[in-house]
């Protein structure tokens, strides 16, 4: 077999492949056997019909066509290995010659998008600035309020619904008169905005037993993104009463005996969180610098496929303004994915089993699933390698972050190693920061068949880049998260 590659653009190539008839022959024999088992010829047992008779019955062209269809993926894979390209997206195949009477070879061409060649900038001495650690009284009070809310009690009230109330509701949604979903007795905190768009406004002012109608795009399911006519009914209204802040509360809600000790601990917690935010901010700025300094071509057809899939799921294919937003997010996510994959290659990142298990457990917790069930699901879907890619991208970004010089805007050096949770965990601050959700964008893989756009649309830089671009799957869901990942 011979193959040659022609570069059509930095992200697209054309393969020309020639396969001698003798290399195709095993596939022809298999096609004859397959067709022979499906036809019946008087005088012959099933599967025992001679080749010449099969050719007379179905024609040699039909046999060769089936053989070629079965053989193309194998020969395409060999051509990819020979030429060293990294294909992504769906290949476009054109068979130009088949081994019939007037030909002795199979010839075909394939146009396919590829991972671009990327030249990384010098990243051994990057410098970034982050916000200083400044814990205000408001930060401590906010943490104290969160703690009080955990120990609060709900008390029924006889008045109209206000923001912050807890209500029990019945909810119904329909599209064009067809009921899509209906639930009863759902608990909801008014003002949290974590259910349907417009529901908070509809609930405010209602009393027990009253209903209101509103229109909202559905948040999930097969018809996610489509406008639905919704109806909500209030069954009960409750307010949360918070416990008094005194020594009794400190003893009930913590390991401390006094409020003063509790406040001091909350002050330390707030400071640790601020320091961790510094690490996340440093990671984001390092990634931003690398993207600014690196020329990363993006395959238009991959982006278009991802964007179309994303908009189709939302039912917004005709929304040009939203399309432009998703297109931009997807391109940024795919660029991030390509960049982090290249960094992982240059840094020779390896992913150990303990690291993969730790990542799987974190993901399972994020989705509220049992770790074993989540691992089985990932294995069944063939996504284990994608997970490995996610971890590799995080480690690559952490390696770059570890080399960077980080200072705050007041000129103080920031030691990311201080982010280490405890001495038993060797992971340093750079790893910790790079592994946070934003670095997760770097995590999702852009694959054909999944989208990179959902990843690009989200807020987590690492997840954007996160979905991997692989042959036969789409890149949009990954591009939708925020920071990137790619696999071919």
């Amino acid at each position: 077999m011979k193959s040659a590659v022609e570069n059509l653009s930095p992200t697209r190539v054309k393969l020309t492949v020639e396969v001698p008839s003798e290399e195709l022959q095993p596939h022809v024999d298999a096609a004859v056997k397959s067709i022979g088992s499906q036809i019946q010829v008087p005088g012959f047992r099933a599967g025992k019909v001679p080749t010449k008779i099969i050719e007379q019955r179905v024609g040699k062209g039909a046999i060769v066509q089936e053989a070629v269809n079965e053989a193309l993926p194998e020969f395409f894979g060999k051509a990819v290995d020979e030429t060293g390209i990294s294909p992504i997206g769906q290949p476009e195949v054109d068979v130009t010659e088949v081994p019939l009477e007037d030909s002795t070879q199979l010839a075909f061409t394939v146009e396919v998008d590829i991972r671009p060649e990327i030249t990384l900038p010098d990243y051994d001495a990057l410098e970034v600035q982050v916000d200083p650690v400044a814990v205000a009284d408001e930060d401590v009070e906010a943490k104290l309020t969160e703690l009080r809310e955990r120990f609060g009690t709900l008390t029924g009230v006889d008045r109209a619904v206000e923001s912050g109330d807890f209500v029990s509701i019945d909810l119904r949604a329909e599209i064009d008169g067809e009921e899509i979903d209906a639930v009863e007795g759902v608990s909801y905190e008014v003002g949290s905005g974590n259910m349907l768009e417009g529901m908070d406004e509809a609930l405010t002012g209602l009393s027990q037993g009253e209903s209101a109608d509103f229109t909202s795009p559905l948040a999930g399911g097969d018809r996610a993104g489509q406008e639905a006519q919704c109806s909500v009914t209030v069954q009960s209204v409750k307010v949360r009463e918070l416990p008094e802040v005194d020594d009794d509360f400190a003893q009930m809600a913590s390991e401390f005996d006094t409020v003063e000790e509790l406040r001091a601990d909350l002050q330390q917690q707030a400071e640790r969180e601020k320091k961790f935010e510094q690490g996340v901010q440093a990671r984001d700025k390092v990634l931003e610098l690398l993207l600014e300094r690196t020329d990363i071509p993006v395959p238009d057809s991959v982006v278009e496929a991802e964007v179309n899939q994303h908009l189709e799921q939302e039912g917004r294919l005709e929304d040009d303004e939203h399309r432009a937003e998703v297109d931009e997010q997807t391109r940024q996510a795919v660029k991030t994915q390509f960049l982090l994959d290249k960094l992982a290659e240059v840094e020779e990142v390896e992913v150990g089993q303990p690291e993969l298990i730790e990542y799987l457990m974190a993901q399972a917790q994020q989705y509220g699933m049992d770790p074993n069930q989540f691992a089985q699901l990932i294995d069944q879907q063939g996504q284990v390698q994608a997970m490995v890619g996610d971890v590799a991208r995080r480690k690559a970004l952490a390696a770059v972050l570890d080399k960077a010089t980080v200072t705050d805007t007041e000129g103080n050096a920031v030691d990311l190693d201080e982010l280490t949770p405890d001495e038993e965990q060797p992971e340093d601050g750079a790893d910790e920061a790079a592994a946070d959700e934003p670095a997760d964008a770097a995590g999702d893989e852009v694959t054909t068949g999944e989208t990179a756009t959902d990843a690009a649309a989200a807020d987590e830089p690492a997840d954007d880049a996160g979905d991997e671009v692989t042959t036969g799957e789409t890149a949009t869901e990954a591009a939708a998260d925020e920071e990137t990942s790619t696999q071919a």
Side-chain angles (χ1 to χ4, degrees), residues 339-400:
L339 173 68
L340 294 179
D341 283 340
K342 183 65 175 180
L343 283 171
E345 176 188 334
V346 171
E347 290 289 328
E348 298 181 345
V349 171
E350 295 183 358
V351 178
Q353 187 176 14
E355 295 169 314
L356 181 60
I357 292 174
E358 181 181 354
Y359 179 72
L360 287 171
M361 292 182 66
Q363 292 294 298
Q365 184 178 13
Q366 180 179 343
Y367 289 104
M369 294 182 63
D370 175 77
N372 291 327
Q373 293 178 344
F374 183 76
Q376 292 175 2
L377 179 63
I378 292 300
D379 184 46
Q380 292 170 2
Q381 294 179 344
Q383 292 296 308
V384 174
Q385 195 57 40
M387 290 285 186
V388 173
D390 291 348
V391 178
R393 294 179 191 99
R394 290 170 179 241
K395 291 186 66 176
L397 186 55
V400 177

Side-chain angles (χ1 to χ4, degrees), residues 72-148:
L72 279 176
E74 175 187 328
F75 293 131
F76 172 63
K78 288 183 178 180
V80 167
D81 292 338
E82 285 183 5
T83 57
I85 64 171
S86 299
I88 56 177
Q90 292 287 1
E92 297 178 6
V93 182
D94 181 21
V95 178
T96 57
E97 191 175 349
V98 292
L100 296 174
E101 288 76 5
D102 57 346
S103 176
T104 60
Q105 69 174 8
L106 165 66
F108 63 94
T109 63
V110 182
E111 288 193 18
V112 65
D113 290 312
I114 60 169
R115 290 169 174 270
E117 291 294 328
I118 299 175
T119 301
L120 294 174
D122 180 14
Y123 56 84
D124 286 339
L126 295 177
E127 297 182 2
V128 295
Q129 278 193 334
V130 298
D131 296 330
V133 171
V135 179
D137 292 341
E138 292 78 8
D139 298 319
V140 177
E141 288 302 320
K143 298 191 73 64
L144 183 58
T145 299
E146 290 176 7
L147 189 60
R148 294 174 66 198

Side-chain angles (χ1 to χ4, degrees), residues 34-293:
S34 175
I35 294 173
S37 66
Q38 300 173 33
I39 64 174
Q40 294 181 348
V41 178
F44 296 95
R45 289 179 297 167
K48 300 296 183 180
V49 182
T51 300
K52 288 186 177 180
I53 296 180
I54 294 175
E55 288 184 0
Q56 292 172 358
R57 283 295 184 96
V58 301
K60 185 175 181 179
I63 296 174
V64 173
Q65 180 178 355
E66 179 165 332
V68 169
N69 289 340
E70 291 296 321
L72 279 176
E74 175 187 328
F75 293 131
F76 172 63
K78 288 183 178 180
V80 167
D81 292 338
E82 285 183 5
T83 57
I85 64 171
S86 299
I88 56 177
Q90 292 287 1
E92 297 178 6
V93 182
D94 181 21
V95 178
T96 57
E97 191 175 349
V98 292
L100 296 174
E101 288 76 5
D102 57 346
S103 176
T104 60
Q105 69 174 8
L106 165 66
F108 63 94
T109 63
V110 182
E111 288 193 18
V112 65
D113 290 312
I114 60 169
R115 290 169 174 270
E117 291 294 328
I118 299 175
T119 301
L120 294 174
D122 180 14
Y123 56 84
D124 286 339
L126 295 177
E127 297 182 2
V128 295
Q129 278 193 334
V130 298
D131 296 330
V133 171
V135 179
D137 292 341
E138 292 78 8
D139 298 319
V140 177
E141 288 302 320
K143 298 191 73 64
L144 183 58
T145 299
E146 290 176 7
L147 189 60
R148 294 174 66 198
E149 288 174 346
R150 288 171 51 190
F151 290 88
T153 57
L154 295 179
T155 303
V157 292
D158 185 16
R159 60 163 172 76
V161 174
E162 299 176 0
S163 180
D165 288 346
F166 289 80
V167 294
S168 176
I169 59 173
D170 297 343
L171 186 62
R172 182 174 180 274
E174 64 177 38
I175 296 178
D176 298 330
E178 175 189 355
E179 184 176 285
I180 304 301
D181 198 6
V183 291
E184 296 180 354
V186 176
S187 297
Y188 177 68
E189 181 181 1
V190 181
S192 62
N194 57 14
M195 285 189 71
L196 291 175
E197 181 181 320
M199 194 170 79
D200 289 329
E201 292 78 2
L203 283 169
T204 302
L206 296 182
S207 297
Q208 182 177 354
E210 294 183 341
S211 302
D213 298 328
F214 63 100
T215 301
S216 173
L218 295 179
D222 295 337
R223 307 183 76 167
Q226 297 185 27
E227 290 287 331
Q229 292 73 50
C230 306
S231 175
V232 61
T233 302
V234 176
Q235 297 296 345
S236 65
V237 184
K238 297 180 180 180
V239 294
R240 180 162 51 192
E241 296 183 348
L242 304 183
E244 293 294 327
V245 179
D246 51 25
D247 291 347
D248 290 337
F249 171 72
Q251 295 167 18
M252 173 183 66
S254 72
E255 60 190 81
F256 303 106
D257 293 328
T258 66
V259 173
E260 289 73 19
E261 292 174 322
L262 174 59
R263 285 184 181 275
D265 182 68
L266 294 177
Q267 172 85 20
Q268 293 177 358
Q269 289 183 32
E271 185 173 344
R272 286 196 297 269
E273 289 180 4
K274 294 288 185 179
K275 288 182 178 180
F276 188 78
E277 288 173 7
Q278 281 187 325
V280 173
Q281 192 178 8
R283 180 213 59 210
D284 291 347
K285 290 196 171 186
V286 162
L287 182 57
E288 183 180 350
L289 273 179
L290 288 173
L291 287 170
E292 287 177 356
R293 299 177 182 182

